[in-house]
Amino acid sequence: TEKAATASRIKAAKADCFCHLHPEIIPMLQALKEKKIKIGLISNCYSEEAVLIRESQLFPYFDETCLSYELGMK
């Protein structure tokens, strides 16, 4: 259906954002972790964004996450 195709395109566009990280992001996060600095993420997100965040290469660097969809909040 048209609605499913649109939803698929939106999800693909959001997933694509995680494929184009600035080259200094991962080394910076690694350096922070090596210094024992805690890293948190607070995001106002929808269900598909919460999934993409958890699947992203960034997610393992977060010590705590607060994803609004998962918490049932806006």
Side-chain angles (χ1 to χ4, degrees):
T1 69
E2 181 66 28
K3 187 174 182 179
T6 299
S8 180
R9 284 192 301 274
I10 291 170
K11 184 176 180 181
K14 290 179 181 184
D16 190 55
C17 293
F18 290 105
C19 297
H20 303 285
L21 300 176
H22 189 284
E24 295 178 7
I25 295 294
I26 297 298
M28 179 198 63
L29 292 171
Q30 289 172 334
L32 292 172
K33 296 306 274 181
E34 289 169 8
K35 293 180 180 187
K36 307 284 191 230
I37 295 173
K38 299 286 185 184
I39 304 171
L41 171 68
I42 299 171
S43 180
N44 186 26
C45 61
Y46 295 103
S47 60
E48 69 273 2
E49 294 162 330
V51 170
L52 293 171
I53 289 168
R54 289 195 173 278
E55 292 175 349
S56 80
Q57 61 183 326
L58 298 175
F59 190 75
Y61 294 97
F62 299 120
D63 297 291
E64 295 290 333
T65 58
C66 293
L67 305 178
S68 62
Y69 171 79
E70 295 176 351
L71 298 171
M73 305 175 94
K74 293 181 181 179

